[in-house]
Amino acid sequence: MLDILKIKDDFPILKSSPHGKKLIYFDNAATTQKPTQVVEAVADYYKKYNANVYRSPHYLSTLSTESYEEARESVKRFINAKTSESIVFTRNATESINFIAYTWGLKHIGEGDVIVLTIAEHHSNILPWQMVAEKKGAKLKYVHLDEDSRLDLDEFKRTISEGHVKLVAVQHASNVLGIINPVDEIIDLSHRNGAKVLIDGAQSIPNMKIDVEKLGCDFYAFSGHKMLGPMGIGVLYIKEDLLDDVPPFLSGGEMIDEVFEDHSTFAPSPLKFEAGTPNVEGAYGLIKAIEYIEGIGLDNILKHEQELTEYALSKLVEIDYVKLYGPKNAENRTGIISFNVLNVHPHDVATILDQDGIAVRSGHHCCQPLMRYLGVPATVRASFYIYNDKSEVDAFVDGLKDVRKWFR
Ligand SMILES: Cc1ncc(COP(=O)(O)O)c(C=O)c1O
C-alpha cells in the first residue's frame, strides 16, 4: 500500500484549488506532476552547476558534464541497458521515434518492405512511419484488437509471417485503453521473422519495470515528463549492436570528431546522436524522478494504478449512461480509463468535471485511427498515478452524476 498522504505532500501543485475546489489530477497519461525533489533539482542545477557541457575544462563545466553523464548512467541502470552508449537524450518520446524513422528507418527500409503498427498507436508512432513509407515505397500494416479490446496476437502472428516486415513499431501500453501489450512475445516473433522492433514506452515507463536487455528490443522510446521528470527531456535506447548502424539524426556542435571543409567525422555514440547544447537541467531533474519512482517501487506503482482502475471500473459499470472502452477489468493494464457519457460531448464532460476541480482529458488523445476503429470521434480519459486515491475516484464518479444532471 502506498502512503498516499505522504506522497501527495511531495507535490506542491496538488495543493492548488481550481475554481475553489480541491484539485483531483486525473490527467497523468498526458503528463505527471513533479515532486519537490525534481523541482528543486532543476533549480539546484542552475544555482550550482550551470555551464555548457563537454566544451571547457573549467570547474562549472566539469560539474555540468558530470551531472549530465550521471543522468545517462541513471537511465542506463533504470532500464537495465548494457552500456550507457545506448542511452541517447532527446526532447521526448516523439523525437525518439522520429529519430529512428529518419535515421535507421530511411537507411534500412526500402521499396516493398513492411512496417507493422497497431491500430492503437499514438500519432507519434504513426506519422514518422508514414513519412518513411511514403519516401521509400514501403507499406504500413496495422494489427487490430480482439473482442476484449486487447491486441489481437493471432492477427499479429499472421501479419508478421506474411513476410517483408522490416520493422515492428508498437506501444508497450496504450494511452487510451491502458492495455499492456505482450511485448516479449511481439519482440520474439518479430526477431524470428527478421524484423527489428521499436517499443514506444511513453505509457509504460512510469509504471512498469523496464529491462531492455531482457526484452531484447532494438529501440525503446520514452519521455521524462510522464514519469515525474521535467518536460523537454526524453530518452531513446538503441541496442548496442545497432549503434554503428544508426546514422546521426541532427548534425552540428558536440557530435563531431573532426570537421573539414568538405566532410566531417563523428564522435562515438552517444555523442554522435546529440547535436548542440543538450537539456542538462532536464537530465539532472530526471535523475531525481528515477530516484523517486524507485523509492516507491515500480511493482507498487502498477499495483496501485490497477487497484484504482479496478475500483473505478466497478463503479462505472454500474452507471447505465457511461460507455466504457477497453477491457472491463484491470488485469494487465495501467491506470487509464476511457469512456463517454451518453449524449454528452466529451469536452462538455471534461469542462463540467473541471468545475469540480477534477482534471481529465477529452478528445482523440492523438489516436485518431483508434477512435475510428472504436467508432467514436473522442472519449473522456481519466488516468491515475501514485498520488491519487479512492476518495478521488468517488468524487469523480459523483462528478459524472452532476454531468448527467446538467444535460437532463
Ligand atoms: C503512447 C504514447 N506515445 C507517444 C507519446 C508522445 O509523447 P511526447 O508528447 O512526450 O513525445 C504519448 C504521449 O501522450 C503517448 O501516450
Side-chain angles (χ1 to χ4, degrees):
M1 274 266 274
L2 306 191
D3 187 345
I4 307 291
L5 285 181
K6 186 164 171 287
I7 291 172
K8 265 191 199 298
D9 219 35
D10 284 334
F11 291 78
I13 206 167
L14 297 180
K15 295 187 177 66
S16 52
S17 24
H19 312 297
K21 302 281 169 50
K22 185 176 155 284
L23 172 66
I24 296 179
Y25 187 75
F26 281 174
D27 195 17
N28 293 289
T31 197
T32 58
Q33 297 302 346
K34 321 301 171 199
T36 305
Q37 292 84 335
V38 169
V39 177
E40 283 180 357
V42 173
D44 265 1
Y45 170 76
Y46 283 114
K47 284 184 200 158
K48 298 181 193 160
Y49 315 126
N50 181 50
N52 213 323
V53 284
Y54 305 123
R55 299 180 189 194
S56 318
H58 65 74
Y59 177 75
L60 283 180
S61 179
T62 309
L63 284 185
S64 185
T65 304
E66 279 171 6
S67 307
Y68 190 58
E69 287 307 323
E70 184 188 334
R72 204 186 305 277
E73 279 304 312
S74 179
V75 172
K76 173 201 161 222
R77 199 190 33 73
F78 186 56
I79 63 170
N80 195 33
K82 205 160 157 191
T83 158
S84 53
E85 288 168 22
S86 289
I87 306 301
V88 180
F89 284 121
T90 60
R91 284 185 303 146
N92 46 42
T94 303
E95 186 174 304
S96 298
I97 299 169
N98 273 276
F99 189 119
I100 293 304
Y102 277 95
T103 58
W104 183 91
L106 289 180
K107 183 175 169 192
H108 288 281
I109 296 173
E111 182 139 13
D113 285 339
V114 172
I115 302 164
V116 174
L117 310 172
T118 85
I119 197 67
E121 294 311 312
H122 189 280
H123 295 164
S124 295
N125 200 25
I126 296 178
L127 274 72
W129 307 116
Q130 287 178 341
M131 178 280 296
V132 173
E134 197 179 314
K135 276 194 196 304
K136 304 307 292 272
K139 211 169 143 187
L140 300 179
K141 285 191 184 173
Y142 289 86
V143 179
H144 301 85
L145 307 180
D146 64 16
E147 62 288 347
D148 193 29
S149 302
R150 296 184 185 276
L151 189 71
D152 187 338
L153 206 54
D154 290 332
E155 188 186 336
F156 178 76
K157 285 177 190 162
R158 282 196 302 279
T159 310
I160 193 92
S161 63
E162 281 162 8
H164 308 288
V165 180
K166 264 285 163 61
L167 179 78
V168 173
V170 56
Q171 57 190 199
H172 200 160
S174 160
N175 60 308
V176 176
L177 304 172
I179 50 169
I180 298 170
N181 283 327
V183 288
D184 299 87
E185 222 170 329
I186 289 171
I187 293 165
D188 183 46
L189 285 164
S190 304
H191 284 168
R192 280 202 269 135
N193 284 274
K196 299 278 184 255
V197 185
L198 177 141
I199 304 287
D200 170 2
Q203 296 295 340
S204 47
I205 201 76
N207 45 37
M208 292 173 71
K209 177 69 200 140
I210 303 304
D211 184 333
V212 287
E213 268 293 292
K214 204 158 137 222
L215 281 174
C217 57
D218 301 287
F219 312 109
Y220 201 97
F222 62 91
S223 299
H225 71 92
K226 292 189 197 282
M227 48 166 289
L228 306 179
M231 289 194 173
I233 187 80
V235 173
L236 167 65
Y237 160 81
I238 303 175
K239 198 191 227 170
E240 191 186 19
D241 51 9
L242 290 173
L243 287 171
D244 291 337
D245 209 16
V246 177
F249 181 26
L250 301 176
S251 51
E254 305 276 20
M255 49 80 73
I256 54 95
D257 179 23
E258 283 192 276
V259 176
F260 303 93
E261 287 187 27
D262 59 348
H263 77 282
S264 304
T265 55
F266 305 125
S269 53
L271 292 192
K272 81 164 176 179
F273 298 126
E274 294 177 0
T277 302
N279 178 359
V280 188
E281 96 268 16
Y284 190 64
L286 192 59
I287 301 175
K288 302 295 164 191
I290 289 173
E291 282 172 7
Y292 197 94
I293 283 179
E294 288 184 328
I296 295 178
L298 281 148
D299 290 347
N300 295 331
I301 294 176
L302 186 61
K303 190 160 166 270
H304 176 70
E305 286 191 21
Q306 289 177 337
E307 274 168 15
L308 288 183
T309 303
E310 191 77 61
Y311 183 68
L313 286 175
S314 72
K315 303 228 152 201
L316 293 173
V317 289
E318 297 297 320
I319 308 177
D320 58 2
Y321 50 85
V322 168
K323 161 100 180 118
L324 288 161
Y325 304 96
K328 300 290 178 290
N329 58 56
E331 206 182 301
N332 217 11
R333 69 189 274 182
T334 63
I336 292 178
I337 295 180
S338 276
F339 64 95
N340 272 317
V341 175
L342 289 186
N343 303 323
V344 187
H345 194 281
H347 290 328
D348 290 332
V349 177
T351 305
I352 295 170
L353 288 176
D354 179 58
Q355 295 303 307
D356 288 336
I358 303 168
V360 294
R361 177 156 175 200
S362 56
H364 53 64
H365 315 294
C366 301
C367 288
Q368 287 187 354
L370 177 63
M371 292 295 126
R372 254 176 239 116
Y373 183 72
L374 296 173
V376 290
T379 69
V380 187
R381 180 183 72 187
S383 50
F384 313 126
Y385 205 45
I386 46 176
Y387 31 68
N388 297 127
D389 62 25
K390 286 186 179 167
S391 72
E392 294 180 337
V393 174
D394 290 338
F396 158 70
V397 172
D398 286 346
L400 291 179
K401 290 176 185 157
D402 288 344
V403 170
R404 182 66 169 178
K405 266 188 235 144
W406 269 85
F407 280 85
R408 269 258 164 93

